[in-house]
Amino acid sequence: MSDIAPPSLLKRGLRRLEALPVVGPLLASVSTMERATLVVVGFIAFAFYLFLVVADEVTEGPPGSLDRGILIALRNPADPSDPLGPPWVEEMMRDITAMGGTSVLTLLTLAVIFFLILTRKRHAALLVAVSVAGGTLLSQGLKWGFDRPRPDLVPHGMSVYSQSFPSGHAMLAAVVYLTLAALLARTQKRTRVKLFLLGGATFVTVIVGISRIYLGVHWPTDVVGGWALGAAWASTCWLTMLWLQRKGEVEGETSSGGGA
């Protein structure tokens, strides 16, 4: 039986594909789970491709006119140190950007890991730990590799200590929130609940990235690169979890890892 039901939009898209003369018979030969897997694999490939396109743009030279134009557009023309909007908007953006910070994401990840351990899902807890730790190491390694300076076009709205590309906040927000949302979605049967969890995680990831641009600590291409790679990494980890669950090596929705 299928372990996961694709969203209704995906179902409608698959029905349209099934009507095609060549594609229909091919889709009929695979299960619903395999179809969903193919869609996710396609998304991963697209996200990695988008990251490579942005990375190529970054390595070609200084930030382009779009990067610079967006940062300038978010500042008071008479005073580049003053972001658009009243003071409370800037303070709100600092609060939002903290949701993608190392401290908050570490505490959230540890809370989920301990919860999984308490519910006797030790292998799932290990997979979450490896997914987040791997994404963090990948982000830091790429920062050192690209070694892109932080924006100097406008004053920063907060302190920064590392290289610029890709945005660690944008990437790790995607890694943590999307991975945890996918994990929670596996415990729900209703499609609308699954979509709410994944949509909420996506929304948080997006606003964290926007806050980094608003505060002037990242170029827009830094954030887009972080989003793309973080989403690709989270989707890869999610597929790995499903594969291991089907093999019985990671606890499923209702299974336990052992006695009390």
Side-chain angles (χ1 to χ4, degrees):
M1 296 291 292
S2 169
D3 292 325
I4 181 171
S8 57
L9 289 176
L10 179 57
K11 287 182 178 179
R12 289 198 293 270
L14 288 173
R15 282 198 294 268
R16 292 178 181 176
L17 288 175
E18 288 171 349
L20 298 176
V22 177
V23 179
L26 291 176
L27 288 177
S29 65
V30 297
S31 66
T32 303
M33 179 63 189
E34 289 168 332
R35 297 180 192 181
T37 300
L38 289 173
V39 172
V40 176
V41 169
F43 171 77
I44 293 172
F46 170 77
F48 273 124
Y49 173 75
L50 177 60
F51 173 78
L52 292 176
V53 170
V54 175
D56 182 64
E57 179 71 20
V58 168
T59 57
E60 284 186 353
S65 58
L66 183 60
D67 264 341
R68 302 172 69 86
I70 291 175
L71 282 188
I72 290 296
L74 294 174
R75 297 285 165 148
N76 184 341
D79 183 8
S81 66
D82 180 26
L84 291 179
W88 64 264
V89 173
E90 186 175 357
E91 190 63 29
M92 180 183 68
M93 286 297 181
R94 290 195 185 96
D95 292 339
I96 291 174
T97 208
M99 297 173 67
T102 302
S103 299
V104 172
L105 294 180
T106 299
L107 290 173
L108 178 61
T109 302
L110 288 175
V112 172
I113 289 173
F114 282 120
F115 172 78
L116 291 171
I117 291 174
L118 289 174
T119 55
R120 304 185 186 92
K121 296 187 177 182
R122 297 178 180 86
H123 294 96
L126 177 61
L127 184 59
V128 169
V130 170
S131 299
V132 175
T136 302
L137 292 175
L138 179 61
S139 173
Q140 291 302 316
L142 289 172
K143 280 179 174 289
W144 294 331
F146 285 99
D147 197 25
R148 189 187 201 187
R150 294 279 181 165
D152 57 2
L153 193 61
V154 297
H156 296 168
M158 60 188 306
S159 299
V160 290
Y161 308 99
S162 61
Q163 298 86 345
S164 194
F165 182 83
S167 167
H169 278 66
M171 178 176 173
L172 294 180
V175 168
V176 174
Y177 291 114
L178 292 179
T179 297
L180 298 184
L183 184 68
L184 289 175
R186 289 280 295 155
T187 68
Q188 304 298 317
K189 294 185 179 300
R190 292 187 176 182
T191 298
R192 67 180 66 180
V193 179
K194 293 176 184 288
L195 290 176
F196 171 78
L197 292 169
L198 294 173
T202 301
F203 176 74
V204 172
T205 299
V206 169
I207 62 174
V208 166
I210 291 174
S211 73
R212 303 303 282 172
I213 301 172
Y214 180 86
L215 294 171
V217 295
H218 273 297
W219 300 105
T221 46
D222 297 335
V223 172
V224 173
W227 281 336
L229 191 57
W233 180 265
S235 299
T236 301
C237 294
W238 178 75
L239 277 184
T240 301
M241 178 183 69
L242 290 184
W243 179 65
L244 291 174
Q245 284 180 337
R246 288 171 67 86
K247 291 182 63 178
E249 296 181 10
V250 169
E251 301 85 3
E253 297 175 5
T254 57
S255 62
S256 62

